[in-house]
Amino acid sequence: MTLPRFRGGQAVRNVSLNTQIPLTALERKAAGKSHYELDLCVPGPDDAHPYVGAEYYGKEEHAGELRGLRDIRRESILASKGISIHGVTKEQATNVMELERLAKVLTVSQGERWRKPTAAQEKAMRELIRSLYFHGSNDMRRP
């Protein structure tokens, strides 16, 4: 997300990783933990909406009915704090259009102007995705 576009990134600014969000006593009781951690977040548009985040939903960590219920509770508690979360699956993380959509949300939420990448920048994004997820394999299906 933070790499410059000519290097295959999305050029999103002010990105923080693994940001801890403390929970109130009531929230701790419901969640069974003292805080939640956001995989990736940027500052939100105002004090009432302090962060806009992205959560990577891996198949193993987020599989099953119980895990799905925990994810819903987590997102509900974070939403009550004004924090919106955008889930990203591996399929989305390997798709240039989906990454552009998420980058646009993160950029616009900070009050910045979104600029659509050029064809050359999109090509660099595809090459970066291929090197990160497919390790030179020809198995990549047009991200």
Side-chain angles (χ1 to χ4, degrees):
M1 282 290 154
T2 62
L3 278 176
R5 287 183 168 171
F6 75 91
R7 298 186 97 187
Q10 296 287 340
V12 178
R13 295 192 251 193
N14 304 311
V15 172
S16 297
L17 301 175
N18 304 318
T19 300
Q20 290 189 359
I21 306 298
L23 302 178
T24 66
L26 186 59
E27 292 165 343
R28 284 193 299 269
K29 188 174 180 179
K33 51 179 65 183
S34 64
H35 68 276
Y36 281 129
E37 201 168 279
L38 303 179
D39 288 344
L40 178 150
C41 69
V42 297
D46 53 46
D47 290 341
H49 303 91
Y51 297 106
V52 175
E55 174 75 11
Y56 183 75
Y57 290 142
K59 288 183 180 178
E60 293 175 13
E61 300 88 20
H62 297 273
E65 187 175 334
L66 181 59
R67 187 60 213 190
L69 293 172
R70 287 182 187 150
D71 287 342
I72 291 168
R73 179 177 52 225
R74 178 181 188 270
E75 290 178 18
S76 177
I77 289 172
L78 291 171
S80 73
K81 294 176 157 309
I83 300 170
S84 62
I85 300 296
H86 299 269
V88 179
T89 64
K90 181 180 179 184
E91 290 74 24
Q92 291 170 312
T94 58
N95 182 296
V96 170
M97 297 297 285
E98 288 294 327
L99 287 176
E100 287 177 13
R101 179 197 59 78
L102 179 59
K104 181 177 182 179
V105 167
L106 297 173
T107 299
V108 171
S109 73
Q110 297 181 73
E112 295 184 18
R113 183 172 169 231
W114 169 254
R115 291 179 175 84
K116 181 153 178 51
T118 65
Q121 291 167 337
E122 286 186 356
K123 180 180 177 187
M125 289 174 199
R126 285 187 181 83
E127 290 171 6
L128 178 63
I129 290 168
R130 184 177 291 113
S131 70
L132 291 173
Y133 286 95
F134 300 97
H135 306 289
S137 165
N138 290 329
D139 187 33
M140 189 173 157
R141 293 176 186 86
R142 294 193 73 197

mmCIF file of all heavy atoms in Angstrom, residues 23-36 70 73-74 77:
data_model
loop_
_atom_site.group_PDB
_atom_site.id
_atom_site.type_symbol
_atom_site.label_atom_id
_atom_site.label_comp_id
_atom_site.label_asym_id
_atom_site.label_seq_id
_atom_site.Cartn_x
_atom_site.Cartn_y
_atom_site.Cartn_z
ATOM 1 N N LEU A 23 -9.714 -1.358 24.589
ATOM 2 C CA LEU A 23 -11.143 -1.570 24.774
ATOM 3 C C LEU A 23 -11.567 -1.133 26.169
ATOM 4 O O LEU A 23 -10.786 -1.223 27.116
ATOM 5 C CB LEU A 23 -11.488 -3.053 24.576
ATOM 6 C CG LEU A 23 -11.116 -3.652 23.216
ATOM 7 C CD1 LEU A 23 -11.457 -5.130 23.175
ATOM 8 C CD2 LEU A 23 -11.796 -2.905 22.083
ATOM 9 N N THR A 24 -12.809 -0.672 26.275
ATOM 10 C CA THR A 24 -13.368 -0.313 27.580
ATOM 11 C C THR A 24 -13.629 -1.599 28.367
ATOM 12 O O THR A 24 -13.589 -2.704 27.804
ATOM 13 C CB THR A 24 -14.693 0.452 27.421
ATOM 14 O OG1 THR A 24 -15.655 -0.439 26.842
ATOM 15 C CG2 THR A 24 -14.531 1.695 26.554
ATOM 16 N N ALA A 25 -13.951 -1.456 29.636
ATOM 17 C CA ALA A 25 -14.224 -2.624 30.474
ATOM 18 C C ALA A 25 -15.358 -3.467 29.902
ATOM 19 O O ALA A 25 -15.265 -4.704 29.843
ATOM 20 C CB ALA A 25 -14.537 -2.177 31.904
ATOM 21 N N LEU A 26 -16.420 -2.824 29.462
ATOM 22 C CA LEU A 26 -17.553 -3.543 28.887
ATOM 23 C C LEU A 26 -17.148 -4.250 27.589
ATOM 24 O O LEU A 26 -17.521 -5.407 27.347
ATOM 25 C CB LEU A 26 -18.717 -2.581 28.642
ATOM 26 C CG LEU A 26 -20.030 -3.191 28.184
ATOM 27 C CD1 LEU A 26 -20.547 -4.193 29.209
ATOM 28 C CD2 LEU A 26 -21.068 -2.104 27.963
ATOM 29 N N GLU A 27 -16.377 -3.565 26.753
ATOM 30 C CA GLU A 27 -15.908 -4.163 25.498
ATOM 31 C C GLU A 27 -14.963 -5.327 25.770
ATOM 32 O O GLU A 27 -15.014 -6.347 25.081
ATOM 33 C CB GLU A 27 -15.211 -3.099 24.644
ATOM 34 C CG GLU A 27 -16.158 -2.037 24.121
ATOM 35 C CD GLU A 27 -15.437 -0.809 23.585
ATOM 36 O OE1 GLU A 27 -14.238 -0.608 23.883
ATOM 37 O OE2 GLU A 27 -16.091 -0.027 22.868
ATOM 38 N N ARG A 28 -14.095 -5.178 26.791
ATOM 39 C CA ARG A 28 -13.175 -6.260 27.156
ATOM 40 C C ARG A 28 -13.949 -7.513 27.565
ATOM 41 O O ARG A 28 -13.588 -8.627 27.217
ATOM 42 C CB ARG A 28 -12.240 -5.833 28.280
ATOM 43 C CG ARG A 28 -11.132 -4.918 27.835
ATOM 44 C CD ARG A 28 -10.049 -4.776 28.887
ATOM 45 N NE ARG A 28 -10.528 -4.204 30.137
ATOM 46 C CZ ARG A 28 -10.528 -2.906 30.421
ATOM 47 N NH1 ARG A 28 -10.061 -2.041 29.550
ATOM 48 N NH2 ARG A 28 -10.977 -2.476 31.576
ATOM 49 N N LYS A 29 -15.036 -7.299 28.301
ATOM 50 C CA LYS A 29 -15.856 -8.423 28.740
ATOM 51 C C LYS A 29 -16.464 -9.144 27.535
ATOM 52 O O LYS A 29 -16.473 -10.380 27.473
ATOM 53 C CB LYS A 29 -16.951 -7.928 29.678
ATOM 54 C CG LYS A 29 -17.735 -9.024 30.332
ATOM 55 C CD LYS A 29 -18.697 -8.460 31.359
ATOM 56 C CE LYS A 29 -19.477 -9.597 32.020
ATOM 57 N NZ LYS A 29 -20.399 -9.134 33.026
ATOM 58 N N ALA A 30 -16.972 -8.398 26.584
ATOM 59 C CA ALA A 30 -17.576 -8.994 25.383
ATOM 60 C C ALA A 30 -16.535 -9.659 24.489
ATOM 61 O O ALA A 30 -16.774 -10.732 23.931
ATOM 62 C CB ALA A 30 -18.328 -7.933 24.596
ATOM 63 N N ALA A 31 -15.372 -9.037 24.374
ATOM 64 C CA ALA A 31 -14.347 -9.525 23.455
ATOM 65 C C ALA A 31 -13.445 -10.591 24.067
ATOM 66 O O ALA A 31 -12.837 -11.385 23.346
ATOM 67 C CB ALA A 31 -13.493 -8.352 22.968
ATOM 68 N N GLY A 32 -13.314 -10.560 25.387
ATOM 69 C CA GLY A 32 -12.403 -11.491 26.033
ATOM 70 C C GLY A 32 -10.949 -11.116 25.860
ATOM 71 O O GLY A 32 -10.046 -11.947 25.955
ATOM 72 N N LYS A 33 -10.695 -9.840 25.592
ATOM 73 C CA LYS A 33 -9.320 -9.343 25.445
ATOM 74 C C LYS A 33 -9.281 -7.860 25.770
ATOM 75 O O LYS A 33 -10.316 -7.202 25.809
ATOM 76 C CB LYS A 33 -8.760 -9.620 24.054
ATOM 77 C CG LYS A 33 -9.641 -9.166 22.913
ATOM 78 C CD LYS A 33 -9.049 -9.433 21.541
ATOM 79 C CE LYS A 33 -8.922 -10.899 21.284
ATOM 80 N NZ LYS A 33 -8.313 -11.239 20.022
ATOM 81 N N SER A 34 -8.092 -7.340 25.990
ATOM 82 C CA SER A 34 -7.947 -5.942 26.405
ATOM 83 C C SER A 34 -7.875 -4.964 25.235
ATOM 84 O O SER A 34 -8.045 -3.769 25.425
ATOM 85 C CB SER A 34 -6.700 -5.780 27.270
ATOM 86 O OG SER A 34 -5.539 -6.087 26.506
ATOM 87 N N HIS A 35 -7.586 -5.464 24.044
ATOM 88 C CA HIS A 35 -7.472 -4.593 22.878
ATOM 89 C C HIS A 35 -7.682 -5.395 21.604
ATOM 90 O O HIS A 35 -7.607 -6.617 21.614
ATOM 91 C CB HIS A 35 -6.092 -3.916 22.840
ATOM 92 C CG HIS A 35 -4.982 -4.888 22.581
ATOM 93 N ND1 HIS A 35 -4.394 -5.626 23.589
ATOM 94 C CD2 HIS A 35 -4.367 -5.269 21.434
ATOM 95 C CE1 HIS A 35 -3.453 -6.404 23.066
ATOM 96 N NE2 HIS A 35 -3.423 -6.208 21.767
ATOM 97 N N TYR A 36 -7.943 -4.671 20.540
ATOM 98 C CA TYR A 36 -7.942 -5.251 19.202
ATOM 99 C C TYR A 36 -6.749 -4.663 18.474
ATOM 100 O O TYR A 36 -6.273 -3.570 18.793
ATOM 101 C CB TYR A 36 -9.216 -4.914 18.429
ATOM 102 C CG TYR A 36 -10.408 -5.755 18.814
ATOM 103 C CD1 TYR A 36 -11.613 -5.156 19.137
ATOM 104 C CD2 TYR A 36 -10.345 -7.140 18.812
ATOM 105 C CE1 TYR A 36 -12.724 -5.925 19.475
ATOM 106 C CE2 TYR A 36 -11.443 -7.911 19.150
ATOM 107 C CZ TYR A 36 -12.629 -7.301 19.483
ATOM 108 O OH TYR A 36 -13.711 -8.059 19.812
ATOM 109 N N ARG A 70 -16.832 -14.235 15.811
ATOM 110 C CA ARG A 70 -15.840 -13.368 16.476
ATOM 111 C C ARG A 70 -15.494 -12.162 15.605
ATOM 112 O O ARG A 70 -15.335 -11.056 16.111
ATOM 113 C CB ARG A 70 -14.567 -14.160 16.793
ATOM 114 C CG ARG A 70 -14.723 -15.119 17.920
ATOM 115 C CD ARG A 70 -13.408 -15.816 18.200
ATOM 116 N NE ARG A 70 -13.593 -16.853 19.185
ATOM 117 C CZ ARG A 70 -12.874 -17.949 19.249
ATOM 118 N NH1 ARG A 70 -11.899 -18.159 18.381
ATOM 119 N NH2 ARG A 70 -13.099 -18.837 20.175
ATOM 120 N N ARG A 73 -18.342 -9.693 15.848
ATOM 121 C CA ARG A 73 -18.301 -8.982 17.133
ATOM 122 C C ARG A 73 -17.182 -7.938 17.116
ATOM 123 O O ARG A 73 -17.370 -6.801 17.533
ATOM 124 C CB ARG A 73 -18.101 -9.962 18.290
ATOM 125 C CG ARG A 73 -18.031 -9.256 19.642
ATOM 126 C CD ARG A 73 -17.895 -10.202 20.808
ATOM 127 N NE ARG A 73 -16.800 -11.133 20.613
ATOM 128 C CZ ARG A 73 -16.878 -12.445 20.850
ATOM 129 N NH1 ARG A 73 -17.993 -12.986 21.273
ATOM 130 N NH2 ARG A 73 -15.827 -13.209 20.661
ATOM 131 N N ARG A 74 -16.028 -8.321 16.608
ATOM 132 C CA ARG A 74 -14.883 -7.403 16.529
ATOM 133 C C ARG A 74 -15.241 -6.171 15.705
ATOM 134 O O ARG A 74 -15.009 -5.035 16.122
ATOM 135 C CB ARG A 74 -13.694 -8.137 15.921
ATOM 136 C CG ARG A 74 -12.457 -7.299 15.734
ATOM 137 C CD ARG A 74 -11.360 -8.180 15.101
ATOM 138 N NE ARG A 74 -10.108 -7.495 15.080
ATOM 139 C CZ ARG A 74 -9.682 -6.726 14.085
ATOM 140 N NH1 ARG A 74 -10.455 -6.545 13.030
ATOM 141 N NH2 ARG A 74 -8.517 -6.128 14.145
ATOM 142 N N ILE A 77 -17.755 -3.914 17.567
ATOM 143 C CA ILE A 77 -17.132 -3.120 18.641
ATOM 144 C C ILE A 77 -16.314 -1.982 18.043
ATOM 145 O O ILE A 77 -16.395 -0.838 18.494
ATOM 146 C CB ILE A 77 -16.279 -4.018 19.562
ATOM 147 C CG1 ILE A 77 -17.188 -4.920 20.401
ATOM 148 C CG2 ILE A 77 -15.378 -3.175 20.464
ATOM 149 C CD1 ILE A 77 -16.460 -5.987 21.211
#
